[in-house]
Amino acid sequence: MLTSKLHAHLAFAPQNAPVHTYEQALNQLLADVDGIPSTGDPAVRKARRELVKKVEHELAWLEEEVQRAWDRKQAEEQEEEEPEEPLQDVEEPNPEGEEEIPGEDGPATEEELAETKAALDAFLAKDPT
């Protein structure tokens, strides 16, 4: 029985079936080529060698693609597992002469919200659009 080098990273799941099927077909092709008798004919032997070389090249490519996909998946999972460092509030002292910004030292009061709403309504009333 032929063994697969892909099994270490490629689960037998419906989404991976085409890859497994392709690999199996390539391996079966190698087995079939091995069964063709050359009866000493150099042309047959040469054709077999060339076909085996092409199929082995395709199997190597397939294995590399699966490895690249595996590496990408592992990197994505590692990024998801790394906790982000929480942001810390930095308080800067208010330099002399600067106005206090409403709501900067906590949630806006009802009075501040009413003033902001009134200013916004006045601006929107003047806006022709």
Side-chain angles (χ1 to χ4, degrees):
M1 177 169 171
L2 299 170
T3 59
S4 170
K5 293 180 181 181
L6 304 179
H7 294 173
H9 298 306
L10 193 64
F12 284 97
Q15 68 268 25
N16 297 333
V19 177
H20 286 294
T21 301
Y22 186 51
E23 180 198 23
Q24 184 179 2
L26 290 171
N27 283 322
Q28 185 61 50
L29 185 57
L30 284 175
D32 291 347
V33 169
D34 192 40
I36 297 173
S38 66
T39 59
D41 186 343
V44 173
R45 290 174 61 192
K46 182 181 178 188
R48 280 178 46 189
R49 272 195 307 273
E50 289 175 1
L51 183 57
V52 166
K53 186 177 178 179
K54 288 179 182 180
V55 172
E56 286 176 343
H57 178 76
E58 190 68 11
L59 281 167
W61 172 84
L62 185 62
E63 186 177 343
E64 290 169 5
E65 288 299 307
V66 169
Q67 184 64 48
R68 277 193 281 275
W70 174 260
D71 292 343
R72 279 192 308 272
K73 177 85 169 143
Q74 293 302 307
E76 289 171 5
E77 288 176 1
Q78 188 175 6
E79 286 176 7
E80 290 174 2
E81 291 175 5
E82 293 177 5
E84 291 183 24
E85 291 188 31
L87 298 177
Q88 297 178 2
D89 290 334
V90 178
E91 290 190 29
E92 295 180 18
N94 187 13
E96 290 181 28
E98 281 192 22
E99 277 186 40
E100 286 289 323
I101 299 173
E104 187 174 296
D105 55 343
T109 64
E110 290 294 322
E111 183 179 315
E112 291 169 336
L113 289 174
E115 288 174 8
T116 302
K117 184 178 180 326
L120 182 59
D121 288 342
F123 174 78
L124 292 174
K126 293 177 187 176
D127 189 15
T129 57

